[in-house]
Amino acid sequence: MDDITRDVVVIGAGAAGLTAANDLRTAGLSVAVLEARDRVGGRLWTDTVEGAMLELGGQWVSPDQQALIDTVADLGLSTYSRYREGDSVYVGPDGEAKRFTGEMFPVAPETEKVIDEITARLDAMVAEIDPDEPWAHPSAAEWDKISWDAWLRQQTDDDEAVRNLAFATGSAMLTKPTHTFSLLQSLLMAASAGSYSHLVDADFILDKRVAGGLQQVPELLAERLGDDVLLNQPVRRIVWGGDSAASGRSGDSVTGRRVDDLRDLTARVEAAASSSAGVTVIADGVTVRARFAILALAPVLYSRISFEPPLPRLQHQMHQHISMGFVIKVHAVYDRPFWREQGLSGTAFSPYELCHEAYDNTNLGDERGTLVGFVSDQNADDLFRLSAEERKERILESLSRYYGPEAKSPVVYYESDWGTEEWTRGAYAASFDLGGLHRYGADLREPVGPIHLACSDMAGAGYQHVDGAIRQGHRAAQEILERTRG
Ligand code: FDA
């Protein structure tokens, strides 16, 4: 077991952790990044499956994601636009595929009117919200008490309008059933992208991809850190209180003591933060002693780590109100992009279909054609009760309703299932349950003693996206730099 000392130890080599580590290194601090997996990138994973390069995790960049755009430019990477020429496809409640161009999809004029009116209402509400502190809005408590689905159904009894409006932050973003999260959580999701209208505009939100794959971002960031990124190092324990951390005596645990004995917690937290060795982080093959730590992983995974002393009451409670959404990202590669021959852009969606949305995801310069489709929340749960063959058949059947029978015969087929990934446990990211955002949101990013926090799942701008992860990485590094200067 190696024993090393650094100014800051970063736990998690995703976009957030690697951004923070680079900022700290640039400012002259020594760092070590401990990563549980045998690769960097976390939810960014560009892999080759049966000869096809696939983006198994995050991939798209939208024009408002300035932190990601700056990082991509700094690393010398280039981007290209998603293919979008031709007609899009919408499948309505009658199951019929209808082609359309422009922003509005083919629904009855009354439904279109309702969708337009509610969209305008939502845009006005979102404009009043600061994505970095949605809980500060005067109506935050009220908006956090009602589910997204219930609020929409209070606005109209047009079911098709509700399903389509709900979809943008439900299946397509938070990837949870729309009765399980609040209107406020939905408004945060929209505010993080600038407006509700942005969120439903695929040409905005799914604008560009990085040539060669988005995982190059964490890979190149890690390259700059060299040997200070340690793979296969799941962190199991963090000793962070006062003397035990300062002396590095990891056996000097307070776990299990009565709550009364922890009354001096605040004092010890402050002592740890101001001491020169505030935290000892124990991974499978290395122990790192540092002045500060950054937990750069999804908050749903904090409970996998044993904290000594335990995290305070507020964190224990708060973290139980955050959970991961779940979506299956389906990749289907064909010998050619056959849908383009039919004048289709590849953009297709329906709140009535198993694959609620799908796009042309052909790689830059590739003569083969790739479709990417998404199956979300309860539909995804249900599919995983089936055999792999049945699941594939059901998914391809759904794609064929958008693109025709040829969609049933890909040459490569792959399902990204982040629910089985031990160090992620869902996709795309985590959100609060009903009422949780207003109750705990303001505390989510607050450091605990020498432990700072960074992750896309606690971002304001760029929430649940790589852009948000990078912004949170910069913020956590800045917080530590301010403390070291102070
Ligand atoms: P992330 O989870 O990436 O990193 C945390 C790291 O911590 C991981 O490497 C993990 O292994 C490690 N870790 C966890 N526990 C540990 C422990 N105990 N010890 C050591 N290490 C530990 N975004 C976007 O902008 N555009 C998009 O198109 C998409 N699409 C998309 C599709 C799919 C299928 C997914 C799953 C996600 C997306 N996203 C996305 C979301 C985006 O990928 C995500 O928000 C960020 O990559 C998250 O970066 P973080 O660094 O915050 O966490």
Side-chain angles (χ1 to χ4, degrees):
M1 171 84 78
D2 287 339
D3 203 325
I4 59 177
T5 302
R6 294 287 188 276
D7 291 317
V8 184
V9 54
V10 177
I11 300 143
L18 291 167
T19 297
N22 269 281
D23 285 4
L24 293 164
R25 166 79 78 78
T26 304
L29 298 190
S30 60
V31 295
V33 181
L34 303 182
E35 168 54 47
R37 290 175 159 106
D38 61 1
R39 61 171 182 84
V40 301
R43 281 171 269 177
L44 298 180
W45 190 4
T46 310
D47 206 3
T48 301
V49 177
E50 295 172 35
M53 190 201 93
L54 303 178
E55 291 280 34
L56 304 185
Q59 62 168 73
W60 279 300
V61 183
S62 59
D64 62 330
Q65 297 182 332
Q66 201 52 49
L68 173 57
I69 291 168
D70 290 347
T71 301
V72 165
D74 175 43
L75 295 171
L77 297 169
S78 59
T79 58
Y80 62 103
S81 294
R82 182 173 54 81
Y83 184 84
R84 60 191 72 170
E85 285 159 36
D87 293 348
S88 302
V89 177
Y90 171 72
V91 174
D94 57 4
E96 197 189 315
K98 295 192 184 108
R99 297 166 73 126
F100 70 100
T101 50
E103 280 172 27
M104 196 58 208
F105 46 99
V107 290
E110 323 72 87
T111 301
E112 180 172 340
K113 187 163 171 282
V114 171
I115 290 175
D116 283 347
E117 280 168 7
I118 299 176
T119 298
R121 216 170 297 158
L122 285 166
D123 276 341
M125 291 158 88
V126 169
E128 290 177 5
I129 283 193
D130 177 350
D132 282 318
E133 42 175 12
W135 46 83
H137 190 279
S139 301
E142 183 196 331
W143 291 349
D144 209 24
K145 279 185 200 155
I146 184 162
S147 79
W148 174 224
D149 182 70
W151 183 83
L152 286 169
R153 292 196 185 278
Q154 278 180 358
Q155 313 306 304
T156 177
D157 55 10
D158 184 325
D159 184 66
E160 190 175 5
V162 168
R163 283 172 187 259
N164 275 293
L165 288 157
F167 167 96
T169 53
S171 306
M173 281 289 165
L174 297 170
T175 60
K176 291 178 171 179
T178 52
H179 59 270
T180 62
F181 60 87
S182 72
L183 167 64
L184 185 66
Q185 181 73 63
S186 188
L187 295 175
L188 162 60
M189 191 72 246
S192 74
S195 70
Y196 180 84
S197 294
H198 277 169
L199 211 61
V200 293
D201 179 359
D203 287 348
F204 182 88
I205 204 82
L206 313 179
D207 183 28
K208 289 200 164 29
R209 291 179 58 191
V210 166
L214 194 49
Q215 195 190 359
Q216 290 171 100
V217 165
E219 283 172 343
L220 291 171
L221 287 173
E223 220 171 274
R224 289 179 174 177
L225 297 165
D227 293 343
D228 283 326
V229 179
L230 293 103
L231 301 179
N232 299 305
Q233 295 299 341
V235 168
R236 311 289 183 184
R237 290 174 64 205
I238 298 182
V239 183
W240 60 281
D243 290 345
S244 61
S247 69
R249 282 179 286 125
S250 54
D252 193 13
S253 160
V254 295
T255 306
R257 282 190 200 165
R258 288 175 43 231
V259 174
D260 287 355
D261 294 336
L262 296 173
R263 275 203 206 114
D264 62 343
L265 189 60
T266 311
R268 286 195 290 119
V269 164
E270 276 159 16
S274 60
S275 80
S276 59
V279 61
T280 301
V281 171
I282 298 131
D284 281 2
V286 65
T287 294
V288 187
R289 289 160 220 283
R291 295 169 66 191
F292 299 98
I294 297 179
L295 273 185
L297 42 116
V300 295
L301 297 173
Y302 294 167
S303 63
R304 295 292 315 280
I305 298 173
S306 188
F307 293 87
E308 302 174 17
L311 290 177
R313 171 193 306 110
L314 180 67
Q315 277 70 21
H316 276 175
Q317 279 287 298
M318 169 167 59
H319 298 148
Q320 294 182 61
H321 293 273
I322 305 169
S323 58
M324 277 280 179
F326 186 44
V327 61
I328 312 171
K329 183 174 182 182
V330 179
H331 314 261
V333 184
Y334 302 86
D335 58 3
R336 65 192 205 292
F338 66 87
W339 53 93
R340 294 183 188 175
E341 294 160 10
Q342 302 162 29
L344 293 177
S345 65
T347 300
F349 71 93
S350 168
Y352 304 95
E353 269 301 328
L354 192 60
C355 274
H356 64 264
E357 59 187 320
Y359 303 94
D360 185 323
N361 208 27
T362 303
N363 293 326
L364 184 66
D366 195 348
E367 62 183 28
R368 292 188 293 183
T370 302
L371 290 173
V372 64
F374 297 88
V375 182
S376 196
D377 54 80
Q378 266 166 267
N379 281 333
D381 299 342
D382 292 346
L383 276 189
F384 275 113
R385 295 182 217 283
L386 305 176
S387 68
E389 295 74 48
E390 282 178 284
R391 198 165 58 242
K392 178 177 174 185
E393 198 183 314
R394 294 273 307 278
I395 289 172
L396 291 177
E397 175 69 40
S398 179
L399 287 180
S400 76
R401 283 197 278 277
Y402 295 127
Y403 307 107
E406 238 180 313
K408 289 187 186 173
S409 310
V411 291
V412 177
Y413 174 86
Y414 187 80
E415 295 160 6
S416 296
D417 166 21
W418 288 82
T420 55
E421 289 280 322
E422 183 179 10
W423 304 108
T424 305
R425 303 191 168 202
Y428 308 106
S431 49
F432 277 106
D433 59 13
L434 203 63
L437 179 57
H438 168 255
R439 186 175 171 194
Y440 296 116
D443 296 302
L444 187 58
R445 297 188 284 253
E446 279 301 301
V448 178
I451 304 171
H452 291 248
L453 310 163
C455 183
S456 69
D457 306 20
M458 56 185 63
Y463 174 50
Q464 298 218 350
H465 285 82
V466 184
D467 179 70
I470 291 172
R471 287 172 196 259
Q472 293 304 302
H474 287 314
R475 177 198 44 79
Q478 192 54 37
E479 283 171 2
I480 290 175
L481 291 173
E482 278 164 20
R483 285 174 81 173
T484 55
R485 284 176 196 135

